[in-house]
């Protein structure tokens, strides 16, 4: 294996990542809680909207049933009972709510929008008519056509009125300082000044700045601005409003600090571009921690994310989302991990018992090897593996790397390693040594799929972009394992890890799990 190259001092000085994503200093608290709380109002507000939308549909159904003579005659002629009418109303209401959700009217920023909400309500009305016709035809239901046509149209009318009142109520509350999203503004000092002025009192956007992070393009070797990296610069308030803002430094602690302070949105005003490594690193960190990214229209050119325009007159912004970091996708991935690890532990328990006996029988040492590894956001956890090396072999790896003329850093895993035992070489080749890590997956320290967990000395060599591998849980298998493992160069491994963090999906994880079977059978790069 060729010797690995450590990042230069210049790389480290311009690096956004400084070793961890968690701040070491405790944050100031107020009355035992963080200064800014998460907006639980948004969940209550959306739940209220869903309830009111259902009431509008039920009201429409009641009016049609009681007022329209042909509908009453149809019910009487077919001898429909009260329970039948209630079931019919429940069907129409359920379809109405599902069609509204399908029109994405319950998303985060729709509650404060005007014409866009109204157009989606109208579209949901047409979806409801089509859906009801389909259901009635497929299941041969007895439902008056007036219910199918008149109820959705009345529901649209009543819901439009309801949404107008709710929007006005939201704007009044925001004007009084409530029902806003706690916001951190990142950009040049000039861009921050302008953004604070534009956002204050803007009840449509609902962004309430409480902290800022002033940045500028870093310097390259030629002392010219380098858009690849950003550096923190001083921020000088110009008025009383800006003096109330908290100033945050630009480093890898920024996302977690913002989250702990209750931030829900980070607005990027200027300076950054899609080619900036700092931009890619920061955006991934924010997405992974559930903080929304918003960009002024001039800088909203970020690769890999879905952009949505909030066409506000005073400050048009784009909000960026990576679908794999949604709550739904995270839940699905965690459920897959729990089910998969449980099944793997149950099925492989006889094999693991035999391996444990063989490992212990070779030299009398412990069968299970425990080691501190770095996991999600840079937190340490205890990794479990079957011991494949002689006892205390990890304490001489730096000396061994020196003797072999290689760098004791990322991906140091030499062929013909003298520290490996005879049974250890076999269980490594067959990946049996990894089986106890299913316990890590079950506990929640790891996932079935993700970048491999590394040690602290390896993390210490991370540059900014490569540090994004800490924004997802480490995995038993991943792109590295199915693409060559230890035969890959450092550059190839880093590219695969960053690519996984930016583009992972449930379907992709399933594909990697299937490819892992082939990789284990072939034993490619395993030593």
């Amino acid at each position: 294996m060729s010797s690995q190259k450590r990042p230069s001092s210049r790389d480290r000085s311009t690096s956004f990542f400084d070793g961890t994503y968690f701040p070491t200093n405790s944050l100031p608290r107020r009355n035992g809680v963080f200064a800014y709380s998460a907006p639980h109002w948004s969940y209550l507000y959306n739940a209220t909207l869903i309830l009111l939308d259902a009431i509008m549909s039920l009201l429409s159904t009641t009016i049609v049933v009681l007022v329209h003579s042909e509908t009453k005659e149809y019910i009487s002629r077919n001898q429909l009972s009260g329970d039948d009418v209630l079931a019919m109303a429940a069907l129409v209401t359920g379809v109405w709510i599902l069609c509204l959700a399908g029109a994405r009217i319950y998303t985060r920023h729709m509650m404060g929008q005007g014409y866009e909400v109204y157009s989606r309500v109208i579209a949901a009305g047409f979806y409801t008519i089509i859906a009801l016709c389909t259901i009635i035809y497929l299941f041969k239901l007895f439902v008056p056509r007036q219910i199918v046509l008149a109820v959705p149209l009345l529901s649209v009318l009543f819901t439009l009125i309801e949404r107008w009142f709710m929007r006005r109520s939201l704007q009044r509350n925001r004007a009084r300082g409530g029902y806003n999203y706690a916001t951190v503004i990142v950009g040049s000092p000039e861009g921050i000044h302008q953004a604070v002025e534009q956002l204050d009192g803007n009840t449509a956007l609902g962004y309430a700045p409480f902290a800022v992070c002033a940045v500028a393009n870093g310097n390259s070797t030629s002392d010219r601005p380098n858009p690849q990296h950003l550096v923190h610069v001083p921020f000088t308030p110009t008025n009383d409003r800006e003096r109330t803002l908290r100033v945050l430094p630009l480093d890898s602690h920024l996302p977690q600090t913002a989250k702990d302070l209750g931030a829900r949105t980070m607005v990027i005003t200027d300076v950054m571009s899609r080619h900036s490594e700092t931009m890619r690193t920061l955006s991934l960190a924010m997405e992974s921690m559930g903080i929304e990214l918003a960009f002024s229209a001039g800088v909203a050119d970020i690769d890999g994310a879905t952009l949505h325009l909030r066409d506000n007159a005073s400050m048009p912004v784009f909000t960026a989302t990576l679908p794999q970091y949604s709550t739904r996708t995270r839940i699905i991935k965690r459920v897959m991990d729990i089910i998969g690890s449980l099944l793997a532990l149950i099925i492989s328990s006889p094999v693991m018992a035999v391996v444990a006996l063989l490992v212990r029988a070779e030299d009398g040492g412990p069968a299970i090897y425990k080691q501190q590894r770095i996991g999600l956001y840079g937190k340490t956890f205890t990794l479990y593996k079957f011991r494949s090396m002689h006892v205390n072999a990890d304490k001489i790896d730096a000396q061994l790397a020196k003797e072999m003329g290689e760098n004791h850093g990322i991906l140091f895993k030499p062929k013909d390693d003298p520290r490996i035992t005879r049974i250890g070489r076999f269980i490594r080749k067959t990946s049996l040594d990894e089986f106890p890590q299913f316990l890590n997956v079950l506990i929640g320290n790891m996932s079935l799929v993700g970048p491999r967990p590394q040690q602290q000395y390896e993390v210490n060599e991370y540059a900014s972009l490569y540090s994004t591998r800490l924004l997802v849980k480490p995995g038993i298998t991943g792109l590295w394992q199915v693409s060559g493992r230890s035969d890959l160069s450092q550059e190839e491994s880093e590219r695969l890890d960053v690519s996984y963090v930016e583009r992972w999906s449930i379907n992709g994880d399933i594909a990697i799990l299937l490819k892992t079977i082939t990789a284990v059978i072939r034993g490619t790069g395993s030593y």
Side-chain angles (χ1 to χ4, degrees):
M1 176 180 283
S2 61
S3 63
Q4 309 294 342
K5 180 181 178 182
R6 290 178 179 269
S8 66
S9 60
R10 183 180 296 110
D11 292 333
R12 299 295 293 170
S13 65
T14 58
S15 177
F16 171 79
F17 180 70
D18 63 355
T20 178
Y21 279 93
F22 277 89
T24 55
N25 298 326
S26 59
L27 296 173
R29 298 170 179 260
R30 183 183 300 166
N31 298 327
V33 297
F34 288 109
Y36 298 87
S37 60
H40 301 298
W41 65 265
S42 62
Y43 305 113
L44 179 61
Y45 190 90
N46 253 334
T48 303
L49 290 176
I50 294 173
L51 177 61
L52 289 175
D53 293 340
I55 292 174
M56 295 304 105
S57 178
L58 291 173
L59 177 61
S60 301
T61 305
T62 303
I63 291 174
V64 172
V65 170
L66 295 179
V67 174
H68 198 270
S69 58
E70 292 185 15
T71 302
K72 290 192 292 185
E73 182 183 348
Y74 180 93
I75 293 174
S76 176
R77 185 171 63 251
N78 290 277
Q79 298 181 341
L80 300 180
S81 65
D83 290 341
D84 292 331
V85 175
L86 288 176
M88 185 168 55
L91 171 65
V92 175
T93 300
V95 172
W96 171 241
I97 296 299
L98 289 175
C99 288
L100 285 172
R104 300 184 60 80
I105 202 171
Y106 299 119
T107 53
R108 179 171 180 171
H109 292 302
M110 280 297 103
M111 62 183 70
Q113 297 296 326
Y115 294 114
E116 188 171 358
V117 167
Y118 305 148
S119 64
R120 295 191 182 198
V121 170
I122 294 172
F126 289 107
Y127 298 155
T128 302
I129 293 174
I130 295 172
L132 286 175
C133 290
T134 304
I135 293 173
I136 291 170
Y137 174 78
L138 291 176
F139 295 96
K140 313 259 184 233
L141 302 179
F142 293 98
V143 178
R145 64 176 180 272
Q146 290 80 12
I147 295 291
V148 177
L149 297 175
V151 171
L153 295 178
L154 275 178
S155 298
V156 168
L157 176 61
F158 292 152
T159 302
L160 289 176
I161 298 172
E162 164 230 319
R163 287 304 178 110
W164 184 85
F165 279 106
M166 290 298 290
R167 181 168 174 261
R168 292 296 299 272
S169 174
L170 178 64
Q171 290 178 334
R172 285 195 298 269
N173 280 284
R174 283 179 170 174
R176 292 194 292 263
Y179 289 13
N180 288 305
Y181 296 104
T183 300
V184 177
I185 302 177
V186 178
S188 68
E190 296 77 13
I192 292 175
H193 294 316
Q194 183 179 10
V196 171
E197 181 181 358
Q198 292 172 331
L199 292 177
D200 276 351
N202 191 320
T203 58
L205 290 175
Y207 295 145
F210 75 91
V212 299
C213 178
V215 298
N217 286 321
N219 292 328
S220 63
T221 55
S222 59
D223 294 328
R224 293 182 179 179
N226 180 8
Q228 290 291 324
H229 302 285
L230 298 175
V231 295
H232 183 74
V233 296
F235 175 75
T236 303
T238 58
N239 52 49
D240 291 339
R241 171 68 178 96
E242 292 182 357
R243 291 186 186 94
T244 66
L245 302 175
R246 179 174 181 142
V247 179
L248 304 177
L250 178 70
D251 54 30
S252 57
H253 300 165
L254 175 60
Q256 184 63 41
T257 300
K259 179 180 179 180
D260 289 342
L261 289 172
R264 298 288 290 178
T265 298
M266 176 166 289
V267 173
I268 311 297
T269 63
D270 53 13
V271 178
M272 295 190 183
S273 72
R274 69 185 298 181
H275 304 293
S276 168
E277 285 194 6
T278 309
M279 174 80 270
R280 292 175 65 186
T281 307
L282 180 63
S283 63
L284 284 170
M286 288 297 173
E287 288 276 359
S288 71
M289 296 184 186
I291 299 176
E292 177 192 60
L293 277 176
F295 303 82
S296 66
V299 298
D301 184 18
I302 178 172
D303 188 29
T306 301
L307 299 179
H308 173 71
L309 174 63
R310 302 192 68 191
D311 195 9
N312 184 264
S314 63
M315 186 179 180
V317 298
F318 284 92
T319 56
T321 57
L322 291 170
Q324 67 267 35
Y325 291 103
S326 67
T327 302
R328 180 180 65 87
T329 307
R330 290 173 184 269
I331 292 175
I332 294 174
K333 184 175 177 70
R334 181 59 186 145
V335 170
M336 284 178 54
D337 286 341
I338 293 174
I339 296 175
S341 59
L342 273 175
L343 290 175
L345 287 170
I346 294 172
I347 295 173
S348 65
S349 56
V351 176
M352 288 197 292
V354 173
V355 171
L357 291 173
L358 293 175
V359 170
R360 187 166 181 81
E362 179 165 357
D363 58 8
I368 298 295
Y369 172 69
K370 301 178 183 179
Q371 189 178 61
Q372 292 298 300
R373 295 291 180 99
I374 309 301
L376 184 65
Y377 301 143
K379 286 186 175 181
T380 58
F381 71 96
T382 302
L383 177 80
Y384 301 103
K385 296 181 68 174
F386 282 124
R387 183 173 57 85
S388 59
M389 293 186 176
H390 295 290
V391 178
N392 297 326
D394 57 332
K395 296 182 180 179
I396 63 171
D397 52 0
Q399 177 184 349
L400 179 63
K402 184 177 180 180
E403 293 175 355
M404 299 181 68
E406 297 187 12
N407 175 42
H408 177 231
I410 300 173
L411 301 179
F412 172 67
K413 199 174 182 183
K415 293 182 179 179
D416 302 321
D417 193 330
R419 300 170 297 169
I420 300 177
T421 62
R422 183 174 53 186
I423 185 64
R425 198 168 301 280
F426 170 75
I427 62 176
R428 281 193 172 200
K429 189 70 175 178
T430 56
S431 296
L432 291 173
D433 61 324
E434 311 281 352
F435 277 30
Q437 291 174 37
F438 287 117
L439 181 60
N440 287 113
V441 176
L442 186 62
I443 294 172
N445 297 324
M446 294 178 62
S447 177
L448 292 175
V449 181
R452 76 183 187 95
Q454 295 188 324
Q455 300 181 62
Q456 186 61 58
Y457 72 84
E458 296 174 294
V459 174
N460 292 340
E461 295 188 11
Y462 287 179
S464 293
L465 190 56
Y466 191 47
S467 71
T468 57
R469 75 194 311 275
L470 298 178
L471 299 175
V472 297
K473 289 182 181 180
I476 294 180
T477 186
L479 284 178
W480 177 80
Q481 288 89 335
V482 300
S483 302
R485 303 178 73 172
S486 299
D487 288 337
L488 297 175
S489 67
Q490 177 177 339
E491 290 74 18
E492 290 171 329
S493 299
E494 290 184 3
R495 177 180 55 79
L496 289 173
D497 283 342
V498 174
S499 175
Y500 176 79
V501 175
E502 289 182 320
R503 296 176 174 85
W504 73 265
S505 65
I506 298 299
N507 291 337
D509 281 2
I510 294 174
I512 290 173
L513 288 171
L514 294 175
K515 289 181 180 179
T516 300
I517 299 174
T518 304
V520 170
I521 294 174
R522 291 179 178 177
T524 306
S526 57
Y527 46 83

